[in-house]
Amino acid sequence: MLELAPLLVSALILGLLGGGHCLGMCGGLMGALTLAIPKEQRSRRFRLLLAYNLGRILSYASAGLLIGLAGWAVANSPVALFMRVLAGLLLIAMGLYLAGWWSGLTRIESLGRGLWRYIQPVANRLLPVSSLPRALLLGALWGWLPCGLVYSTLLWSASQGNALDSALLMLAFGLGTWPVLLATGLAAERVTAILRKRSVRMAGGLLVILFGIWTLPGPHQHWLMGH
């Protein structure tokens, strides 16, 4: 577990840095979720938002476990090296997107739109949210929304070659996205203003690019580990 700790911290930071992207993907739903809470239940807003985000994060962990099984099956084959290279390249592309330098990663999100067409109508029927189980289920469904950041992180987690590790990394990633989306539901304007600052987006993008370079296999990893 101690060996996994640096990766868990990295996944957590990746989620935090990707907050701007998460805001664009799910921020509208968070606002709608807040407004959809009946007036007599506004005092329960925080708990409902908490339940929604818990469901979303658990769906990330479930996806991590599933794709981690595939990573485990090919852990000692050349496919594992390919997955790690692809994960690093996707993270670099994600960094470029976050910094506003290249938006090609959004094309990858189209890969999951076929599945989302079946999930979205079910999710829409859960609105307005009036109970904690309803909010939890909505979050669990919304966690499958096509997202380049989630896809990149999933592939990176699967490249570790262990299903449980992959699930834990996706759980840590989800926890990293939690503060931004939770705050969005409570103070959307303030959070949006901060995350839309060019300096914040560029700093986050550069850090994700560096993380992607670190993920790529090569002699640079031995140098980094040595320091």
Side-chain angles (χ1 to χ4, degrees):
M1 189 65 181
L2 290 176
E3 295 179 357
L4 188 63
L7 291 176
L8 290 173
V9 173
S10 299
L12 186 70
I13 293 174
L14 185 59
L16 285 169
L17 293 176
H21 183 66
C22 294
L23 186 61
M25 296 293 291
C26 299
L29 175 69
M30 294 300 293
L33 179 63
T34 302
L35 294 173
I37 298 172
K39 291 182 179 181
E40 64 272 13
Q41 297 182 9
R42 287 290 171 90
S43 60
R44 301 177 61 204
R45 177 183 297 180
F46 181 76
R47 282 181 292 170
L48 290 172
L49 291 173
L50 206 63
Y52 164 80
N53 280 286
L54 177 61
R56 182 178 57 83
I57 292 169
L58 289 177
S59 72
Y60 291 165
S62 300
L65 182 65
L66 291 174
I67 199 170
L69 291 171
W72 172 78
V74 299
N76 297 314
S77 72
V79 179
L81 180 62
F82 171 76
M83 287 178 64
R84 191 168 185 86
V85 171
L86 185 58
L89 293 176
L90 282 174
L91 287 169
I92 292 172
M94 189 70 235
L96 292 171
Y97 173 80
L98 291 176
W101 295 329
W102 185 63
S103 58
L105 187 67
T106 54
R107 298 173 187 172
I108 299 176
E109 295 171 356
S110 62
L111 297 175
R113 287 175 186 165
L115 175 63
W116 181 243
R117 279 200 297 266
Y118 297 99
I119 297 177
Q120 187 176 17
V122 180
N124 289 340
R125 284 199 291 270
L126 294 172
L127 291 170
V129 175
S130 56
S131 66
L132 293 178
R134 203 178 180 99
L136 185 69
L137 181 56
L138 179 63
L141 292 174
W142 210 264
W144 297 94
L145 178 73
C147 174
L149 177 61
V150 174
Y151 291 166
S152 303
T153 312
L154 267 175
L155 194 58
W156 167 67
S157 67
S159 69
Q160 308 305 317
N162 183 294
L164 182 58
D165 288 354
S166 179
L168 289 174
L169 288 174
M170 288 306 297
L171 182 64
F173 165 77
L175 289 173
T177 66
W178 199 331
V180 171
L181 287 179
L182 189 59
T184 300
L186 300 173
E189 293 182 2
R190 186 179 303 175
V191 175
T192 303
I194 294 173
L195 291 175
R196 284 182 176 174
K197 288 185 178 180
R198 181 165 177 79
S199 58
V200 174
R201 288 178 59 86
M202 289 180 64
L206 284 171
L207 286 173
V208 174
I209 289 171
L210 290 174
F211 187 70
I213 293 173
W214 176 81
T215 300
L216 292 171
H220 63 286
Q221 286 197 336
H222 299 289
W223 181 84
L224 288 171
M225 290 297 184
H227 290 73

